[in-house]
Amino acid sequence: MALNSLYNVFFFSVLFCVLAIASSQLSSDFYATSCPTALSTIKSAVKSAVSKERRMGASLLRLHFHDCFVNASSFFSLCLSTYRFICFTLTPASGCDASVLLDDTSSFTGEKSAAANVNSLRGFDVIDDIKSQLESACPGTVSCADILAVAARDSVVALGGSSWTVGLGRRDSTTASKDAATTDIPSPQLDLSDLITAFSNKGFSTKEMVVLSGAHTTGQAKCQFFRGRIYNETNIDSDFATSTQSNCPSTDGDSNLSPLDVTTNVLFDNAYFKNLVNKKGLLHSDQQLFSGGSTDSQVTTYSTSASTFYADFSSAMVKMGNLSPLTGTSGQIRTNCRTVN
């Protein structure tokens, strides 16, 4: 029993230290001297893009999520033999590294072609525009990974949501993996227990999983991802189901779009959670958060308190932005976000 306790204490102590080190390597003023106009340039470009198309705010936020969630983990090998020795090895993987932006090459098939991303992810041109401006102002300085992180925050703000301090100093990956994206990005068909596991695998609590799901207060989804829910599930408002079916036939129209938030889709607010309480979640995974399970109370809290949702969402986004970043001399600062230097 004592041995197991020692093992657990050691393991979680190492894990805590590694996460703390990764977080401490990022700084909100990282570009204060090397590129003082970086943040204002990103903010201006995002504001302009969202003003032209409100949906772009959701697209840029989703880019950051799909970037950070892939390969965001650390692998530990621990061993104990009586009390004579304790050993471990640590191999970090990268999460928020702009791998999602890389085009396929002869040496790898990237994340853009993964099922969760293909013909779905958007906003690449906006990121390209920002990168071009920053390369003109501060060549080889601002990473694509940092652009994604700041653009996500500025998108939420542009849509009326909360803000948070973005740690900076990430570097860009030199490879990407379609298989990793396919494995790591949660499916919209997951049940609650699988959602909890998927987020737990990345270090998120159930509460953080629920609040991050609140990003679905803006954006749209394709018919193919919610057809099963609106035709087959029973925990759905009948009028909502009928209305949504009009744009999502039972056997056609896979690419037809419907808003994830049926009430205020172009605003970042807490209406998503109100919809769940009223059985108007578009995706199966959405409604799972309020379906008689352990997360019902959290959904109710956010449905009645926008300020609580905003505060918790901001905290969870800071944590997500700290998922296994490449820092220091790891990776590179890409000149073009779509290709390795």
Side-chain angles (χ1 to χ4, degrees), residues 12 32 55 70 76 118 130 168 211 218 231 246 250 304 312 327:
F12 286 107
R55 183 188 172 199
V70 177
F76 295 86
V118 65
I130 294 172
L168 302 168
V211 75
T218 185
Y231 283 97
S246 66
S250 59
T304 58
D312 289 353
T327 58

Side-chain angles (χ1 to χ4, degrees), residues 219-235:
Q220 301 182 63
K222 291 183 178 180
C223 169
Q224 68 187 88
F225 296 120
F226 58 83
R227 179 183 285 116
R229 167 156 170 73
I230 62 174
Y231 283 97
N232 303 323
E233 297 187 7
T234 57
N235 60 338

Side-chain angles (χ1 to χ4, degrees), residues 15 18-26 64 67-76 90-99 145-146 169-173 184 201-204 317-328 330-331:
L15 177 60
V18 170
L19 291 175
I21 290 171
S23 178
S24 67
Q25 291 178 317
L26 301 180
H64 181 47
D67 181 41
C68 292
F69 236 65
V70 177
N71 282 330
S73 60
S74 296
F75 302 94
F76 295 86
L90 170 67
T91 303
S94 53
C96 304
D97 59 2
S99 56
D146 276 346
R170 299 170 190 78
R171 289 170 66 84
D172 302 323
S173 69
D184 288 352
N201 288 341
K202 304 300 179 182
F204 289 106
M317 286 299 294
V318 170
K319 183 173 179 176
M320 188 175 76
N322 289 337
L323 286 178
S324 312
L326 295 172
T327 58
S330 299

Side-chain angles (χ1 to χ4, degrees), residues 157-200:
V157 172
L159 293 173
S162 57
S163 184
W164 58 90
T165 300
V166 179
L168 302 168
R170 299 170 190 78
R171 289 170 66 84
D172 302 323
S173 69
T174 56
T175 188
S177 170
K178 173 183 177 180
D179 290 342
T182 300
T183 300
D184 288 352
I185 297 173
S187 164
Q189 310 304 329
L190 292 184
D191 291 331
L192 179 59
S193 60
D194 293 324
L195 285 169
I196 291 173
T197 298
F199 278 77
S200 176

Side-chain angles (χ1 to χ4, degrees), residues 29 90 248 270 325:
D29 60 357
L90 170 67
C248 182
N270 67 331

